Amino acid sequence: QLPMPTLFSFILALLTSAYSFSQEPPPVEAARQAIVDLVTDEFWLNPKFVRLGFHDCVGGCNGCIDFTDPDNKGLEIPIDALADIVDEYSTQGLSRADIWALAALVAADESQNPNGGGIANRVVRFPFEWYGREDCPSVDGKSEENSTTLPGPNMDTKGLLHYFSREFGLDANETTALMGAHTLGTLTRENSGFHGPDGWVPNRGKLSSGYYDLLIGGQTKQGATLENSSIEDLMLASRWDLTTVDNSDLRDQGMDIEDRYQWEHLKENGQVIIMMHSDIAIIRDLEEWTNDEGEVGNATCVILRGQIKPNSCPRSQGIFMQAARYKFDNDLWLRDFDAVFRKILNKGYDTTDLCDEPPCRFTKTGAPAGPSSAPSASLRTSAPSAVSSLSTSSPSDSPISSCADRTDRFSIDGNTKKWCRNAANANDIDAFCALRKELYDHCPVTCGTCP
């Protein structure tokens, strides 16, 4: 005889499977409206739904969260908030994982206008195109199986790009766009060990490219644009101070929470905006301050406003300029984030078939997502592809005026051997060389002439 929770899950699976054979698609719009009504009354749920959608899809979207993993602390709140909607629509063709993905998209959509303004003022609508995600056996989505690895908060640039390439098949630009999700929400010591009641951005309830404002220099209020900003202008961003969060009092209470390093920016109004190492990694290369596991420790480099010193944290290569584009173009970022977030929420399922009339049912695939063999075409950049979008019209810190100067430049700064070693170790030599055009944009960069 089956235990009651297992029996309930079995019956629910049968009902859901039976519904899938019907010709009519599930009532997605009705479920969407139920979620809209929920976040309209309780707008603070928006960032929690976005976080839930992402965490569920690490390893493949399956409507399960492993609460033995401390990085999932706090997610019981959005799970419980959606429980009634899951119960209502799970017998009508939408799985729990579908509802969670839909809630994440609704939350992103609604967060474009947290103070009203209507649908007409939204740049994108975060459409729900695919359903058919399969749920794990758990009745309520609260699992105790540790089967996924979430991204750590202490990764450097290389570690960040490697994680999202391996887990979701994202390229560098897609990863940069995805990190902007931190424009929503706050951080609590009890959940993460970080102390960020004011969040990552001053307006933590609005989905916008504000995440990049304090990371990239150039004052838009003073007429600065990407086109008229030099690399030095973009590097001279806000001041960030690395601090230690002492969580010994929480450990005394029996919580297994380690001390944390976080970067803090003090606003004139008293707000303390924070960033984790993984946030700073999209604009500064902290590789010199990592341990054997690739996690950043107590970095000794500095990020000062209006100053570049010998001990300033060096600029991250390959993704810094994409972050700069997003700072100056909110619509570009929203469109790119929409594309990459929907890619995340489809993890583990086959979307190669065209979906002419959404919603469409897709099927599970056993193949893990891997790096694309070609740059993603989903991101709207200033050039046809994600790699070539590091265009020559963007600011460059390179003083090279002709290709003949390239070797001299390399020999002077000592980067020749390191650059060539990195190129040789790259999986895609052509893509690696194309990315280097951000620095050496006056020359047709090739990898075949390295000494």
Side-chain angles (χ1 to χ4, degrees), residues 102-122:
L102 176 60
L105 293 169
V106 168
D109 186 25
E110 293 293 311
S111 295
Q112 293 179 80
N113 303 105
N115 300 317
I119 295 175
N121 294 324
R122 297 177 189 175

Side-chain angles (χ1 to χ4, degrees), residues 166-333:
R166 183 190 72 243
E167 180 65 32
F168 292 104
L170 303 189
D171 63 26
N173 288 353
E174 289 174 312
T175 298
T176 306
L178 181 65
M179 291 298 291
H182 282 169
T183 189
L184 297 175
T186 60
L187 304 92
T188 63
R189 292 171 57 223
E190 292 76 12
N191 284 345
S192 65
F194 293 96
H195 184 58
D198 293 327
W200 286 267
V201 298
N203 188 356
R204 57 187 179 276
K206 181 178 175 63
L207 186 70
S208 73
S209 62
Y211 171 79
Y212 307 92
D213 283 347
L214 296 176
L215 293 173
I216 300 291
Q219 297 298 316
T220 54
K221 292 181 179 179
Q222 299 176 9
T225 65
L226 183 62
E227 289 70 25
N228 66 22
S229 299
S230 66
I231 284 290
E232 288 72 20
D233 293 333
L234 301 176
M235 285 283 288
L236 297 176
S238 301
R239 176 184 180 125
W240 292 93
D241 296 308
L242 187 61
T243 63
T244 303
V245 181
D246 182 359
N247 291 315
S248 58
D249 59 323
L250 298 181
R251 291 193 293 274
D252 291 341
Q253 300 173 36
M255 301 183 192
D256 185 18
I257 298 179
E258 61 185 277
D259 295 342
R260 295 291 197 181
Y261 293 113
Q262 65 183 35
W263 297 81
E264 297 182 353
H265 170 71
L266 179 62
K267 299 281 292 180
E268 292 181 359
N269 62 3
Q271 277 186 306
V272 179
I273 307 303
I274 84 153
M275 294 282 172
M276 300 176 291
H277 282 316
S278 296
D279 297 301
I280 294 296
I282 70 170
I283 52 123
R284 300 299 176 109
D285 184 1
L286 303 177
E287 184 178 3
E288 297 296 326
W289 295 274
T290 58
N291 58 26
D292 292 338
E293 287 73 40
E295 292 189 335
V296 180
N298 186 13
T300 55
C301 61
V302 298
I303 303 176
L304 303 176
R305 180 177 178 82
Q307 300 179 61
I308 297 178
K309 293 189 173 184
N311 63 336
S312 291
C313 299
R315 178 167 64 96
S316 61
Q317 304 300 317
I319 59 176
F320 179 93
M321 290 306 301
Q322 191 66 9
R325 289 186 183 88
Y326 291 148
K327 173 191 174 75
F328 290 98
D329 195 334
N330 181 63
D331 289 3
L332 171 66
W333 176 74

